[in-house]
DNA sequence: GCATACGGTTTAATATTGCAACCACACAAG
DNA sequence: CTTGTGTGGTTGCAATATTAAACCGTATGC
């Protein structure tokens, strides 16, 4: 009767949600990608209960999204920073942001826009491209069964 | 003490999560984008309790992600289909999929790959571009305060 | 019509969330 | 080294959400 796990699911969307698809994890990851590192920073920024923050940080560590590093200010405390696997979540944050920018009923309540650091200009919308460079919408794609792993090009067993 | 709402948050990521950031909604949306339309189809595909499915469908309707249409087979039942606002979630599903493809520990358990319908070739990774066409990573972006709404270019009030 | 499938609602058990109090350790001051 | 405070949690309890399973009205199918 516990919350059903999606870990063994064959759908990659479900598998991702199993890792960080709960109510708080993505916001913690967002904060981490904004440079927040300390327990107290997350707690103050998100306003969630400390016990929940503690368990979320623990599972994000277990799952390789975050890692702990000795505190940057020389104190004996530790800090939480994104691993490469955690940084890989960035496009998902961008996609969420752009969805709100496009479809939210009250876009005036959005505080920030994402710009490229060099020019300060807004970024473009994420684009899904085919291998020959066409822009694809939802209707232009299908799912195919994943081909078996390529068998190392020797004798085909 | 109820689950804290993110609806009024100024962060666009949080606002999106408030709409479909719970455990099941994105999977319902995924199913809908795969062409599933009927209550029973969702329930069989996802294996979630029917009461939960009912409440999720209801809130997704309220929030303009889904709409009901008369059943396509002529029966008196209704079907659930994505609105344009719901179709807009597609890039988020793609981003989640691609994250799993890149970082999952057991990529062999992923059943499908996304291909472009015309050529049948795998799609490329979502790319974030600057206005002058450079590919941007997480470190190449910043957030700026959203500029005030442009005041209709007449007398500036 | 009569049985069955569909699309839910209701009920009760269990799990998760949220809040607040508590606690241990680090660090700073005296 | 002793006291005081901030940080980073843990613990316990109340409220809420999830789950499974029973139930039910309306459509279909025969």
């Amino acid at each position: 009767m516990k919350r059903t796990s999606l870990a063994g699911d064959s759908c990659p969307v479900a598998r991702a949600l199993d890792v960080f698809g709960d109510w708080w994890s993505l916001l913690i990851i967002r904060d981490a990608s904004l440079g927040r590192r300390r327990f107290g920073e997350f707690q103050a920024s998100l306003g969630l209960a400390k016990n929940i923050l503690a368990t979320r940080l623990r599972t994000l560590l277990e799952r390789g999204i975050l890692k702990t590093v000795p505190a940057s200010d020389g104190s004996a405390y530790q800090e939480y920073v994104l691993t490469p696997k955690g940084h890989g979540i960035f496009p998902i944050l961008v996609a969420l942001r752009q969805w709100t920018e496009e479809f939210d009923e009250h876009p005036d309540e959005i505080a920030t826009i994402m710009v490229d650091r060099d020019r300060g200009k807004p970024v473009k919308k994420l684009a899904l491209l085919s291998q020959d460079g066409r822009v694809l919408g939802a209707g232009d794609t299908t799912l195919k069964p994943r081909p078996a792993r390529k068998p190392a090009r020797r004798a085909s067993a």
Side-chain angles (χ1 to χ4, degrees), chain A:
Chain A
M1 208 164 195
K2 68 176 79 159
R3 169 132 114 225
T4 61
S5 165
L6 304 166
D9 201 290
S10 67
C11 167
V13 175
R15 293 174 80 85
L17 292 178
D18 187 73
V19 177
F20 52 79
D22 68 274
W23 199 247
W24 289 112
S25 292
L26 258 176
L27 294 173
I28 294 170
I29 293 162
R30 174 204 65 180
D31 271 18
S33 83
L34 294 173
R36 294 193 181 107
R37 318 174 121 230
R38 297 286 283 254
F39 187 97
E41 282 185 291
F42 293 116
Q43 211 255 322
S45 157
L46 298 171
L48 83 175
K50 296 201 290 181
N51 54 351
I52 301 201
L53 177 57
T55 64
R56 289 299 182 277
L57 290 172
R58 202 157 32 225
T59 69
L60 290 173
L61 289 171
E62 280 169 14
R63 294 170 176 194
I65 306 293
L66 294 174
K67 65 185 173 193
T68 50
V69 298
S72 49
D73 61 357
S75 77
Y77 295 114
Q78 59 182 355
E79 297 181 345
Y80 299 90
V81 300
L82 291 170
T83 62
K85 188 173 178 177
H87 278 295
I89 294 172
F90 179 70
I92 296 163
L93 297 174
V94 175
L96 288 165
R97 163 178 284 273
Q98 292 186 344
W99 181 83
T100 298
E101 288 170 351
E102 185 167 354
F103 294 102
D104 194 277
E105 308 258 329
H106 298 286
D108 49 299
E109 296 179 2
I110 302 173
T112 57
I113 57 172
M114 178 169 283
V115 299
D116 85 271
R117 187 185 293 279
D118 286 2
R119 307 289 178 106
K121 296 274 199 179
V123 302
K124 296 213 278 192
K125 283 198 61 178
L126 284 172
L128 181 61
L129 298 180
S130 65
Q131 289 197 352
D132 52 332
R134 286 170 297 129
V135 177
L136 301 175
D140 305 319
T141 64
T142 331
L143 300 182
K144 284 208 318 196
R146 187 178 62 87
R149 176 136 282 331
K150 196 168 295 179
R153 203 192 357 201
R154 188 170 289 275
S156 55

